[in-house]
Every structure is written in C-alpha cells, then in structure tokens.
Amino acid sequence: MKKISSLLIGVLLIFSTFVIVNPVSAATITVNAGDSIQAAINSASPGDTIQIAAGSFTESITITKSLTIKGSGTATVITNNMHVVTVSASDVTIRDFTIKPVGCYGINIGNANNVNIINVEVTGNTLAYTENEVGLKVATTAHLTNLYVEGCKFNYCDYGWYIAKNLSDTSNLQYVKVYNTEFMNNDFKGLYIEKLSDAVFKDVKIYNNGTKDFWNMAWNGGMDINLKGMDYRNLTLENLDIRGN
C-alpha cells in the first residue's frame, strides 16, 4: 500500500505541472449608427474585427493596431473634412464601406506592412481642393510593403492616389497588388506615384481624370509613374483600360 500511495502521489505531481491554456479567440465589436468607430478601435485587441453597421459616420479614425475594419457595403459611409482613415499599424484590413473625404485624404497610410483594402469606395466631390483631396495617400517618408487592393474605387478626388517621395530618403512602396479597381473623374490625376517596386496592376480602369484647370495642368493625366532616387523594378501593368484622361 505504501508503494502504491507513493506512485499515485508521483503521478498527481506530474499531472499538476501541465496547465491547459485555452487560446484567446479574436472578438467582433459591432458599431451601430450613432456609435463611435474610434472608441471601438481603442477598446479592441489586436486581431479583432470592428463590424460597422449601415449608416453615416462623421469621423476621423486612426488604426493603431492589427485589426479588420469591416462595413456593411456601400451603405456604410464614413466622412469628414479631416483625414478619414489613417493606418499606422501593420496587418490591417479595411473593407466593404464607402469613404467620403471633403478636402482631405480618404485613406492615409504611414509605415506599415500587410495592408489590405477590399471593396472600399473612396468618393470625393466635384470641387477641386488644390491637391488636398486624395483617395489614397502614402506619407512622403513612409515605407509601405505588401499593399493589397481589390474591388475598390477611387473617384472624384483631386488625386485618386498620391504616393510621394523625397530624394533624400530611402522609403519605398513595395510588393503591391491592385486588382479590379477603378480610378475615375479625379480632378488632376488618377494615380500619381513617386516610389514603387514589385507591383502588379491588373484589370484596372482609369477614366476621365485630369479635367480640372490648376497651376500644374500641363501634367494632368490618368496614371503618372515618376520614380525618384532609387532603383525601382518589376512593375506589371496588365489589362488596363485607360481612356478620356
């Protein structure tokens, strides 16, 4: 009996050293009309999803952690006269809603990796704001890698995209995939890009951009790739439909 008791105690001690840890699953936080999207972002943990209901939200939101921001389709509208969506974190997905910038940036991205923009419509208005209303802006000194864009619209802004670059820095926009996306009726350019490597633009429509008069009108256009200061390479433009620019 003494030996059996000792054996049982030993077995119990061995099992007591194993702790079962249940994995923490990502949460979904719902934002209804009248609620604050930014408050939901602030309360979320990395990996969570912010589900935004249909409705109009006047907000300027900043994403500072790995999150999915998901709307309910075009009926979810986020608008402001300050930068509407700023991304300052990696592993971020924004999808399924409409952004309406008023004289500001629709999507503003700083240093980041793995940013996905899916089924997002960025729609400005018919006024020209002297280059201040931009569908997608990448900060001048920001290094952004692995940008994925699919099923999006960047329309009626001053610029659909404005990707800036200083000659004095080594920032780059690298590993970019843009599929089934349109750039239409932007005042000055559909896309203006000063840094870009390892990028694919496929099944993209670029229509009727550059129709507004301003100081730089001679350079208006549909797609302007003006690469500065580095050895950029591996750009693929496949099945682009460009007209009326």
Side-chain angles (χ1 to χ4, degrees):
M1 291 299 293
K2 186 174 181 180
K3 290 183 178 180
I4 294 174
S5 298
S6 299
L7 178 62
L8 288 174
I9 291 170
V11 171
L12 288 172
L13 287 173
I14 291 171
F15 274 100
S16 69
T17 63
F18 290 90
V19 178
I20 298 174
V21 178
N22 291 321
V24 177
S25 59
T28 297
I29 302 171
T30 300
V31 179
N32 294 309
D35 294 341
S36 168
I37 302 170
Q38 187 64 55
I41 291 171
N42 294 344
S43 68
S45 298
D48 287 352
T49 295
I50 309 297
Q51 176 67 60
I52 311 172
S56 183
F57 299 80
T58 302
E59 286 198 57
S60 176
I61 66 173
T62 299
I63 304 168
T64 57
K65 61 195 82 170
S66 171
L67 294 172
T68 294
I69 312 296
K70 187 176 187 297
S72 300
T74 56
T76 300
V77 179
I78 308 174
T79 184
N80 211 328
N81 58 7
M82 300 173 64
H83 303 333
V84 181
V85 177
T86 295
V87 177
S88 58
S90 296
D91 303 311
V92 169
T93 296
I94 62 174
R95 60 176 304 153
D96 304 325
F97 57 89
T98 297
I99 296 171
K100 291 190 174 181
V102 181
C104 61
Y105 303 156
I107 303 171
N108 181 36
I109 306 179
N111 290 313
N113 179 49
N114 294 331
V115 176
N116 304 301
I117 306 172
I118 302 169
N119 297 333
V120 172
E121 295 188 14
V122 184
T123 303
N125 57 61
T126 57
L127 298 176
Y129 287 92
T130 318
E131 304 183 86
N132 291 328
E133 190 174 85
V134 177
L136 172 67
K137 177 72 165 65
V138 175
T140 302
T141 59
H143 192 78
L144 173 60
T145 55
N146 296 301
L147 173 65
Y148 182 84
V149 178
E150 182 177 7
C152 292
K153 298 179 180 181
F154 299 89
N155 299 338
Y156 292 101
C157 295
D158 294 340
Y159 290 80
W161 281 18
Y162 196 114
I163 314 298
K165 163 78 176 179
N166 284 332
L167 289 174
S168 59
D169 73 71
T170 59
S171 66
N172 196 7
L173 173 60
Q174 189 172 21
Y175 307 122
V176 177
K177 294 181 179 179
V178 181
Y179 298 134
N180 190 30
T181 290
E182 66 180 46
F183 302 82
M184 296 187 182
N185 300 299
N186 296 289
D187 296 330
F188 309 132
K189 298 180 193 291
L191 303 95
Y192 180 63
I193 300 172
E194 294 185 343
K195 54 186 177 186
L196 183 67
S197 290
D198 305 291
V200 176
F201 290 79
K202 183 177 180 180
D203 299 325
V204 171
K205 295 180 179 179
I206 306 173
Y207 291 0
N208 303 324
N209 301 284
T211 60
K212 293 291 179 67
D213 188 9
F214 82 129
W215 68 271
N216 203 22
M217 185 177 182
W219 303 103
N220 281 1
M223 186 175 192
D224 184 345
I225 301 179
N226 176 13
L227 302 181
K228 293 183 175 183
M230 288 179 64
D231 184 14
Y232 301 97
R233 61 183 64 196
N234 300 330
L235 307 182
T236 299
L237 309 178
E238 182 177 350
N239 195 33
L240 270 59
D241 185 356
I242 305 177
R243 63 180 79 179
N245 302 287

